[in-house]
């Protein structure tokens, strides 16, 4: 009898690929008798209803018709990660104003000594040269290659995504309902290049306010440039996750979660489970939003070189709040609100406060998720959080700890290049984990609405 059952099961697995069959299974009971209480053996009907389940949305790639589009989005997001890193290093090495012309058709850097001399002479015609008159040609080549590499990586992003999207169109593999979004992401990437040049022009003599000790680009335009990159990246990651975890599977998990609550909780007890799940999902969304806001404030810290001041922690020059520096020592022309974006002391204070808020949000989200998973609604009870969500939860907590440590170290060590660049990448990693966490909890909304 057992042999016959084994043969039938083997034949079934051979007829159907493993991944394909797993996609249709999102509610799994643990079948080992050791996983059941002693009373369950020999009387399975009632105890089996309370046997542990494992809710899981399987990662769908092998048998997923949307996999090529998902791969395009995730690959492009990966290249943007490199682009953001190189962009940060370009700023930190003060190389961003070395290319004073925008030539979309020109790909190669100068090759001969004569061509380098011509490019160097162009650079000398702009304000930054007045602060770098000791610069030699080899020094100019160093900063030029950083900016050139950053621009070329931007074109690589556009080329890879554009070619991939064209291939999807030709092969008719653009997922249904995603044409507008995929083209919108391409337009956003194109706008990023224009925003980048708009930013550079602000450091070439345009839109100068006359109240800076050194030539630098407008902090507003720098923030716009960085935020556009992060928005594009976020859109690509979110779209890739949607395509890798199909909606049908998410709906099935939502139905299974709702069914589990109905089966195992009395009607009067369900509201507690619903509130806990909704609280966790809301906390994940707030955490991700705060992360983005902190990134934006970090752009103003960079644009105003505010990280080079107040290099102590947790105080600022021995004060909780540098009131005198905010109100008197660093005047800003124009309305008071501009102090929040241009005053060195207030810009850094804002970034610190947003970082604290984000850290607190991460801690609250992680604790909420762990409590929900381990408490009465956890492994010993309902277990309503999927493995994807738990992994994203733990990862978000770990990255947040690392990012806070990097931020403090970067500040107290007076912004060394390697730490500052790593800190910027850490912000992208934290945003990514927040996006993954928020996406992995999408099933919660549908599940709780049906209760």
């Amino acid at each position: 009898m057992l042999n016959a059952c084994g043969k039938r099961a083997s034949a079934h697995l051979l007829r159907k690929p493993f991944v394909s069959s797993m996609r249709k299974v999102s509610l799994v009971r643990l079948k080992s008798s050791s996983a059941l209480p002693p009373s369950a053996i020999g009387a399975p009907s009632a105890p089996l209803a309370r046997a542990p389940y494992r809710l899981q949305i399987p990662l769908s790639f092998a048998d997923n018709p949307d996999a090529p589009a998902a791969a395009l989005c995730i690959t492009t997001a990966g290249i943007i990660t490199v682009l953001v890193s190189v962009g940060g290093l370009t700023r930190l090495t003060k190389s961003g104003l070395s290319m004073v012309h925008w030539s979309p058709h020109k790909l190669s850097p100068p090759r001969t000594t004569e061509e380098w001399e011509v490019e160097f002479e162009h650079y000398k015609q702009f304000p930054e040269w007045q602060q770098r008159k000791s610069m030699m040609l080899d020094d100019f080549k160093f900063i030029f290659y950083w900016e050139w590499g950053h621009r070329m990586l931007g074109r690589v992003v556009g080329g890879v995504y554009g070619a991939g999207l064209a291939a999807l169109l030709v092969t008719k593999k653009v997922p249904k309902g995603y044409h507008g979004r995929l083209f919108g992401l391409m337009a956003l990437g194109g706008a990023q290049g224009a925003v980048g040049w708009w930013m550079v022009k602000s450091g070439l003599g345009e839109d100068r306010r006359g109240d800076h000790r050194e030539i630098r680009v407008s902090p507003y335009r720098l923030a716009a440039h960085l935020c556009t990159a992060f928005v594009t990246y976020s859109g690509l990651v979110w779209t890739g996750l949607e395509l890798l975890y199909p909606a049908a599977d998410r709906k099935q998990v939502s139905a299974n979660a709702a069914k589990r609550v109905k089966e195992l909780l009395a009607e009067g007890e369900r509201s507690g489970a619903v509130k806990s799940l909704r609280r966790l999902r809301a906390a994940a969304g707030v955490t991700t939003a705060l992360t983005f806001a902190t990134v934006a404030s970090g752009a103003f810290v960079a644009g105003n070189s505010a990280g080079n001041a107040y290099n102590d922690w947790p105080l600022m020059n021995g004060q909780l709040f540098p009131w005198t520096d905010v109100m008197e020592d660093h005047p800003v022309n124009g309305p008071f609100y501009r102090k929040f974006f241009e005053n060195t002391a207030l810009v850094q204070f804002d970034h610190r406060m947003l970082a604290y808020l984000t850290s607190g949000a991460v801690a609250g989200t992680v604790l909420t998720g762990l409590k929900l998973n381990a408490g009465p609604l956890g492994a010993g009870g309902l277990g309503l959080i999927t493995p994807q969500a738990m992994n994203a939860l733990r990862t978000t907590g770990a990255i947040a700890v690392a990012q806070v440590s990097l931020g403090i170290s970067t500040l107290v060590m007076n912004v060394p290049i390697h730490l500052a660049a790593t800190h910027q990448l850490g912000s992208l990693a934290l945003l990514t984990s927040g996006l993954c966490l928020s996406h992995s909890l999408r099933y919660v909304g549908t599940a709780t609405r049906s209760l």
Side-chain angles (χ1 to χ4, degrees):
M1 178 67 179
L2 291 175
N3 289 337
C5 291
K7 289 178 180 178
R8 284 197 296 271
S10 299
H12 173 73
L13 290 175
L14 288 173
R15 286 196 304 269
K16 203 167 188 179
F18 177 72
V19 174
S20 176
S21 61
M22 280 299 293
R23 285 189 59 195
K24 301 184 183 301
V25 180
S26 52
L27 181 59
V28 181
R29 295 177 186 267
L30 295 180
K31 297 181 180 179
S32 170
S33 60
S34 62
L36 300 175
S39 61
I41 303 175
S45 54
L48 271 176
R50 289 190 175 269
Y53 288 91
R54 185 171 184 246
L55 285 173
Q56 182 170 1
I57 306 174
L59 180 66
S60 181
F61 198 88
D63 286 349
N64 185 355
D66 299 336
L72 174 63
C73 291
I74 299 300
T75 300
T76 306
I79 303 174
I80 289 178
T81 301
V82 180
L83 178 65
V84 168
S85 179
V86 172
L89 288 166
T90 300
R91 176 184 56 80
L92 290 165
T93 55
K94 298 183 178 180
S95 305
L97 299 177
S98 57
M99 293 181 70
V100 295
H101 301 290
W102 188 27
S103 303
H105 62 280
K106 186 177 180 181
L107 298 178
S108 62
R111 297 180 180 178
T112 65
T113 302
E114 291 74 17
E115 290 177 346
W116 276 111
E117 290 288 355
V118 169
E119 197 69 44
F120 195 19
E121 289 301 319
H122 288 159
Y123 174 72
K124 291 178 180 179
Q125 296 172 17
F126 291 88
E128 189 177 57
W129 164 249
Q130 301 304 317
Q131 300 172 343
R132 295 185 167 187
K133 288 188 175 182
S134 61
M135 178 183 290
M136 305 300 291
L137 182 59
D138 286 341
D139 300 322
F140 173 71
K141 288 181 180 181
F142 174 80
I143 64 172
F144 184 93
Y145 273 125
W146 272 114
E147 175 65 9
W148 175 82
H150 182 51
R151 295 191 189 188
M152 290 306 106
L153 271 173
R155 296 181 186 184
V156 169
V157 170
V160 169
Y161 187 80
L165 184 55
L168 291 175
L169 290 169
V170 170
T171 57
K172 298 182 178 180
K173 289 187 177 181
V174 176
K176 184 179 180 180
Y178 281 83
H179 285 78
R181 188 188 303 190
L182 293 178
F183 277 102
L185 288 169
M186 184 172 69
L188 197 57
Q192 170 70 356
V195 171
W197 176 243
W198 178 62
M199 176 194 69
V200 169
K201 286 185 69 176
S202 70
L204 299 178
E206 267 194 19
D207 193 31
R208 306 309 303 154
R209 301 191 184 277
D211 55 356
H212 299 308
R213 289 189 295 256
E214 63 176 346
I215 295 295
R216 57 177 179 243
V217 299
S218 162
Y220 299 96
R221 298 190 188 189
L222 175 63
H225 186 50
L226 184 66
C227 289
T228 304
F230 273 59
V231 168
T232 306
Y233 174 87
S234 299
L236 288 166
V237 170
W238 190 268
T239 302
L241 290 172
E242 279 192 350
L243 297 173
L244 284 176
Y245 295 97
D249 289 339
R250 293 198 304 271
K251 290 179 181 178
Q252 185 61 50
V253 169
S254 298
N256 290 338
K259 180 180 178 182
R260 180 179 303 179
V261 172
K262 291 176 181 178
E263 286 180 350
L264 303 184
L265 288 179
E267 188 170 348
E269 299 174 331
R270 295 173 190 170
S271 61
V274 170
K275 288 180 181 178
S276 296
L277 287 169
R278 286 177 176 171
R279 190 182 303 119
L280 176 60
R281 189 186 182 199
V286 169
T287 296
T288 306
L290 280 173
T291 300
F292 190 89
T294 308
V295 168
S297 74
F300 284 97
V301 171
N304 289 281
S305 298
N308 298 109
Y310 308 101
N311 300 113
D312 55 337
W313 185 86
L315 302 178
M316 296 178 67
N317 278 1
Q319 306 173 69
L320 288 173
F321 181 76
W323 181 262
T324 302
D325 292 345
V326 171
M327 301 305 298
E328 300 175 11
D329 291 352
H330 297 277
V332 171
N333 297 327
F336 179 82
Y337 73 83
R338 280 180 47 186
K339 283 181 175 287
F340 288 94
F341 306 102
E342 298 177 41
N343 179 274
T344 299
L346 194 52
V347 164
Q348 191 188 121
F349 181 80
D350 293 343
H351 188 59
R352 290 190 185 203
M353 293 304 105
L354 279 169
Y356 296 153
L357 280 174
T358 303
S359 301
V362 170
T365 303
V366 171
L367 291 175
T368 299
L370 293 177
K371 182 179 179 181
L372 180 61
N373 196 56
L377 302 179
L382 301 184
L384 293 175
I385 305 179
T386 65
Q388 286 92 344
M390 287 306 303
N391 290 336
L393 201 65
R394 297 186 184 100
T395 301
T396 301
I399 293 176
V401 171
Q403 179 67 350
V404 169
S405 301
L406 277 170
I408 295 172
S409 300
T410 302
L411 177 70
V412 299
M413 296 178 70
N414 199 16
V415 196
I417 290 177
H418 64 288
L419 282 181
T422 307
H423 185 51
Q424 180 170 288
L425 271 183
S427 67
L428 194 61
L430 185 58
L431 180 65
T432 304
S433 63
L435 289 169
C436 291
L437 176 60
S438 297
H439 190 275
S440 66
L441 290 170
R442 290 184 70 190
Y443 73 94
V444 167
T446 305
T448 55
R449 281 194 298 270
S450 64
L451 293 173

